[in-house]
Amino acid sequence: MFQFQFVSSENNFDQHKLYLFQYPVRPSTMTYDDVNHLAAKIKPKQQRVELEMAINTMSPNYCRSKGEQIALNVDGTAYDETNTYSAKLMDKQTFSSIQATTNTSRYAAAVFRKGELHVTPLTGILQMRPSFSYLDKADNKTREREAANEGGDSSQDEAEEDAKAITVRFARPESEQARQRRIQSYEFLQKKQAEEPWVHLHYHGVKDGRSDHERQYLFCQSVDASENSELVKTPKEYLAMLMPPLAEEKVVKPVGPSNVLSMAQLRTLPLGDQVKTLMKNVKVMPFANLMGLLASGTDSTSALRCIQQVALLVQGNWVVKSDVLYPKNTCSPHSGVPAEVLCRGRDFVMWRFTLERSVMRKEITSIIKLPPEDVKEFLEHVAAPRVNRGWEFLLPTDVDFIKKHPDVAHRQHMLWLGIQSKLEKVFNFSKEDFMPKNSPQPGPVHVSGEQRLKVAQERARENQSSLQKDLDTKRAGSSVHVKQEPVSDREDEPMDTSSPSSSAIPNGSVNGYPSATSPSFDHTNGNGGSPANTSSPELQDFVIKTFRKHFVVTLNEFKRLLNLHLASMPVGRSVFHSISDHMLQEAILLSHCKQIMVPFPAQTTAAADEQKVFGLWETGEEFDKHRRLLFDLFTKNYRVRRNMIQAKLAQELGEVSKAEIDRLLNECCSSHAGMWYLKGTIQS
């Protein structure tokens, strides 16, 4: 180890440009120092250099006949001053340069002399390679000879051409965008490079005196090294320059995995993002598997809350929501269909799997009317093809999750009812259309008489308080004359003979709740066989708040609002366990509301629930009279004009202000094409 003085000869760099030439096609032991250099030229701005070097034609490795043939092809037989090979023999070759790098600020040439290291920065690093432009010249000569042979004798047979009119056109002004494209084009760049003139140079060999003189510029001319002020760095600073801290080289990592999941990186994200990323990649997963993928110690309640935001429950397993896979303002990569349409189609596929294990692809396509590629993608997310069975759901029903989390399963069931209602309107179908005609019946359950008696006594004790409240409510409201519909055709409810310890999920259930094909499902009332047919105080309170806000609601719309209300309740709080249609209607009629018998036209497409219209009949305000007169008007026609409403109110109540009419219409009606309809009765 020894110490030496570092000297920069950068002062000489301003007047003399230093280039490094590399010859990559020859080994370093075979230099061109002893080869005769015939010519040299350079384009300084482009840093482009061309060298002409002589070829040793007397070498035993040189084929003279080939050399003569190449010269003949390039120059032809005629002698001309512009000939490439004046000796009629290929006796030289041209080397053309390309830039090895465009940034040479990190490169320099160094010379060590008398304990001093002299460093000179490089202007350019050029790689010299053989040029074969003479072959292009030979091809041009061949084409010229062929053209001359073809058109040599044709001039004698051609008649003089008639004079023709010439149309003069002026170029349009060039736009800025067109100008930028023209400047960036390859043709323009080639033209600009050709415009720079060649500067011819004189070549001096390695042992020439002029070369020795030029080499002196590699040494610093200043004797005092203190003038090199930029090189006064402490060892610590110099080491920091050579090896910068790792913080400066930190690479920003992607927020989440793209195609391949990195579990270590995934667990650095918030819990909600972890669940969302996993569900987007896996598409369908049991809750137990999700907990296994999350970090140990993750709270299952928090994970359950997160997964409900990005997934829906299908047969006890979680399937990612459609709007997570197809965000707003995106489209299908296969067909370009908007994301909103894709979400509706995929929701229909998922809903079908809540009813049965297998579906047919053709049936799905005929209803949602989307391209086959998109339908296949929907099915591949959650199902697998089976011979003679269509597409079967990927995972078995997770009965354990439904038993462990009945409140979550019930909430998801209510969500699916809301989704089903929307899908029925969009695709114009009924749930009964997809019910299997020969559904398997559950096997008989053997329960002893003692167990039946015990179950009946327990249920009687549970329902005693609610039945008493319902009776008191009916007695209190007997003074109000309210028209009520018949609730059920059945005279009594069948006793539930299942054992209280039995936890099996009944056949035909949807997410653990009875479907329309289940033997315990009441087709008259939509009831799942629950004995709790009386409306609870919580349901009564929800009815009152809903009608105080909307005033007129169809049964179908009320069920949708109830589903949204149940879905917004926190996890673990389940107030309504089993609600039938007749319970909803009974609760509405007991809340000072009345059914309005709207005479829908014979060709109406409204469903049965959409034709049941209820209005707020009594609030204790003076404005109740206006509302009753309006309801009476709509019992004669399903749509009316404003002047008819105004005339009816004036006839019964006298002078009515415009503000009162506007309030009445705003609370109870909707307008379409100049006519007024009760809310929810406008037919699309």
Side-chain angles (χ1 to χ4, degrees):
M1 182 176 179
F2 63 96
Q3 185 176 6
F4 60 87
Q5 187 174 6
F6 183 84
V7 183
S8 172
S9 60
E10 191 172 355
N11 296 334
N12 303 330
F13 180 71
D14 298 333
Q15 296 151 350
H16 299 81
K17 305 298 182 184
L18 181 62
Y19 293 90
L20 175 64
F21 283 13
Q22 297 175 340
Y23 295 88
V25 297
R26 292 274 289 265
S28 59
T29 55
M30 297 176 63
T31 66
Y32 289 95
D33 294 345
D34 299 329
V35 177
N36 185 18
H37 288 63
L38 304 177
K41 54 185 178 180
I42 184 173
K43 288 187 176 183
K45 292 182 180 178
Q46 302 176 34
Q47 294 190 6
R48 184 179 172 189
V49 175
E50 283 191 2
L51 299 176
E52 285 188 4
M53 299 187 188
I55 298 177
N56 183 12
T57 59
M58 305 306 294
S59 171
N61 299 323
Y62 182 80
C63 180
R64 193 171 189 86
S65 61
K66 287 290 185 182
E68 292 174 351
Q69 184 63 47
I70 292 174
L72 180 62
N73 294 340
V74 173
D75 297 329
T77 56
Y79 175 78
D80 191 354
E81 293 182 357
T82 60
N83 284 357
T84 304
Y85 305 110
S86 56
K88 299 300 180 181
L89 182 69
M90 184 179 177
D91 55 356
K92 61 182 178 181
Q93 63 175 333
T94 303
F95 285 82
S96 183
S97 69
I98 60 172
Q99 286 183 287
T101 178
T102 56
N103 182 17
T104 59
S105 59
R106 299 173 58 239
Y107 299 94
V111 181
F112 188 74
R113 184 182 69 172
K114 297 180 180 180
E116 297 176 344
L117 183 65
H118 298 258
V119 178
T120 305
L122 293 175
T123 302
I125 302 176
L126 307 179
Q127 291 186 348
M128 307 300 296
R129 299 175 183 270
S131 173
F132 301 97
S133 58
Y134 61 89
L135 296 179
D136 297 332
K137 190 175 179 181
D139 291 341
N140 293 336
K141 287 281 187 180
T142 303
R143 283 193 289 267
E144 289 175 3
R145 285 195 296 267
E146 291 175 354
N149 293 335
E150 290 177 0
D153 299 330
S154 62
S155 60
Q156 298 176 1
D157 302 330
E158 292 179 358
E160 184 177 354
E161 295 184 0
D162 296 335
K164 294 182 180 179
I166 299 176
T167 303
V168 180
R169 295 182 180 179
F170 295 93
R172 290 182 299 176
E174 187 179 30
S175 64
E176 182 62 27
Q177 187 176 7
R179 178 177 172 276
Q180 290 296 331
R181 286 199 300 266
R182 180 175 59 82
I183 290 176
Q184 295 174 3
S185 67
Y186 176 76
E187 183 181 356
F188 181 82
L189 294 176
Q190 289 290 96
K191 184 179 178 182
K192 291 293 289 182
Q193 290 179 0
E195 288 178 356
E196 184 181 0
W198 286 102
V199 178
H200 292 273
L201 307 173
H202 295 284
Y203 176 81
H204 298 274
V206 178
K207 300 177 181 179
D208 190 90
R210 182 60 187 267
S211 298
D212 292 334
H213 176 73
E214 291 291 330
R215 272 195 291 271
Q216 296 302 315
Y217 289 110
L218 294 175
F219 303 101
C220 182
Q221 303 301 317
S222 175
V223 180
D224 189 1
S226 63
E227 293 181 5
N228 300 307
S229 57
E230 65 221 34
L231 299 177
V232 286
K233 296 284 185 183
T234 63
K236 193 172 185 180
E237 292 173 337
Y238 181 67
L239 186 61
M241 291 172 63
L242 290 176
M243 299 181 63
L246 293 177
E248 298 179 7
E249 297 180 359
K250 185 180 294 183
V251 179
V252 179
K253 296 182 179 179
V255 177
S258 54
N259 296 330
V260 179
L261 278 176
S262 169
M263 298 306 297
Q265 183 180 345
L266 182 68
R267 289 174 180 174
T268 62
L269 303 176
L271 180 60
D273 292 341
Q274 292 185 46
V275 174
K276 183 176 181 180
T277 304
L278 286 169
M279 291 307 302
K280 282 182 69 176
N281 281 270
V282 182
K283 307 295 188 303
V284 56
M285 188 190 322
F287 186 70
N289 290 15
L290 176 67
M291 293 302 298
L293 292 173
L294 298 175
S296 59
T298 303
D299 183 25
S300 61
T301 305
S302 302
L304 197 57
R305 188 181 299 112
C306 292
I307 199 172
Q308 291 183 78
Q309 298 175 6
V310 297
L312 291 169
L313 194 66
V314 178
Q315 300 187 22
N317 300 284
W318 290 99
V319 180
V320 64
K321 288 183 177 180
S322 301
D323 54 2
V324 175
L325 285 182
Y326 305 107
K328 194 175 180 181
N329 298 327
T330 60
C331 60
S332 167
H334 307 292
S335 59
V337 175
E340 183 180 358
V341 181
L342 292 176
C343 290
R344 287 201 299 262
R346 187 174 181 274
D347 286 345
F348 178 80
V349 174
M350 293 164 60
W351 173 75
R352 285 297 309 277
F353 279 115
T354 65
L355 304 179
E356 49 191 323
R357 290 287 304 172
S358 301
V359 299
M360 300 303 293
R361 177 176 168 183
K362 289 184 178 179
E363 182 184 350
I364 296 289
T365 306
S366 64
I367 294 175
I368 64 178
K369 294 181 173 57
L370 285 177
E373 298 83 1
D374 294 322
V375 178
K376 184 179 179 183
E377 184 178 77
F378 297 159
L379 293 170
E380 287 176 342
H381 287 170
V382 295
R386 296 287 184 263
V387 179
N388 298 329
R389 283 189 295 166
W391 290 75
E392 185 181 11
F393 194 70
L394 277 176
L395 303 175
T397 303
D398 192 349
V399 180
D400 294 338
F401 179 84
I402 297 174
K403 290 193 301 183
K404 190 175 181 180
H405 303 280
D407 52 340
V408 176
H410 176 69
R411 174 185 293 185
Q412 290 292 314
H413 173 69
M414 301 304 290
L415 274 176
W416 277 118
L417 289 179
I419 294 173
Q420 173 194 332
S421 177
K422 293 180 182 178
L423 294 175
E424 287 177 349
K425 290 183 178 180
V426 173
F427 297 119
N428 194 21
F429 69 88
S430 176
K431 180 180 178 181
E432 286 72 20
D433 299 340
F434 305 106
M435 292 303 172
K437 296 181 180 178
N438 299 320
S439 58
Q441 297 296 326
V445 180
H446 300 284
V447 183
S448 65
E450 186 178 341
Q451 288 177 328
R452 293 186 182 185
L453 180 61
K454 183 178 179 181
V455 171
Q457 290 175 347
E458 289 178 355
R459 292 200 171 184
R461 284 195 296 269
E462 290 175 359
N463 298 326
Q464 183 177 4
S465 59
S466 61
L467 291 171
Q468 185 64 39
K469 287 182 181 178
D470 181 55
L471 180 62
D472 296 341
T473 303
K474 288 186 177 181
R475 288 176 178 174
S478 60
S479 60
V480 181
H481 180 68
V482 180
K483 177 179 178 180
Q484 299 188 15
E485 291 188 333
V487 176
S488 174
D489 296 334
R490 297 183 306 171
E491 295 181 359
D492 56 354
E493 293 284 343
M495 178 182 291
D496 186 358
T497 59
S498 62
S499 172
S501 62
S502 175
S503 59
I505 305 299
N507 289 350
S509 64
V510 179
N511 289 340
Y513 285 83
S515 67
T517 58
S518 175
S520 62
F521 188 88
D522 182 359
H523 288 274
T524 306
N525 302 321
N527 193 6
S530 173
N533 291 328
T534 58
S535 58
S536 64
E538 292 84 359
L539 178 60
Q540 207 77 35
D541 182 60
F542 175 74
V543 172
I544 294 172
K545 290 181 179 179
T546 301
F547 277 88
R548 287 279 184 174
K549 180 179 180 181
H550 298 281
F551 298 98
V552 175
V553 181
T554 64
L555 181 59
N556 183 71
E557 176 65 12
F558 183 80
K559 288 159 71 175
R560 187 186 71 85
L561 295 173
L562 180 60
N563 288 335
L564 294 176
H565 174 67
L566 295 176
S568 65
M569 296 174 67
V571 178
R573 180 185 173 190
S574 180
V575 179
F576 312 112
H577 295 283
S578 181
I579 305 174
S580 63
D581 285 2
H582 88 275
M583 288 178 61
L584 295 180
Q585 297 178 61
E586 185 179 7
I588 293 172
L589 296 175
L590 290 176
S591 302
H592 305 291
C593 299
K594 183 177 180 180
Q595 183 175 1
I596 306 164
M597 308 304 294
V598 179
F600 285 89
Q603 68 274 16
T604 181
T605 59
D609 288 351
E610 294 176 330
Q611 295 187 33
K612 294 181 180 180
V613 186
F614 298 89
L616 183 60
W617 192 256
E618 184 177 357
T619 63
E621 300 178 357
E622 189 68 22
F623 203 71
D624 291 344
K625 298 178 182 178
H626 299 67
R627 205 177 293 110
R628 292 173 187 171
L629 291 173
L630 179 70
F631 295 161
D632 181 63
L633 201 59
F634 275 102
T635 59
K636 299 177 177 62
N637 203 333
Y638 78 103
R639 61 180 183 180
V640 297
R641 295 190 179 275
R642 181 188 175 99
N643 56 3
M644 295 174 60
I645 300 173
Q646 189 172 357
K648 179 75 173 177
L649 295 177
Q651 179 183 351
E652 299 291 337
L653 303 176
E655 187 66 28
V656 181
S657 65
K658 179 179 180 297
E660 290 177 322
I661 297 177
D662 291 342
R663 174 189 170 186
L664 183 65
L665 294 175
N666 184 53
E667 288 179 353
C668 305
C669 300
S670 300
S671 175
H672 177 68
M675 304 296 290
W676 289 88
Y677 303 76
L678 284 178
K679 288 181 178 178
T681 62
I682 296 180
Q683 301 303 302
S684 57

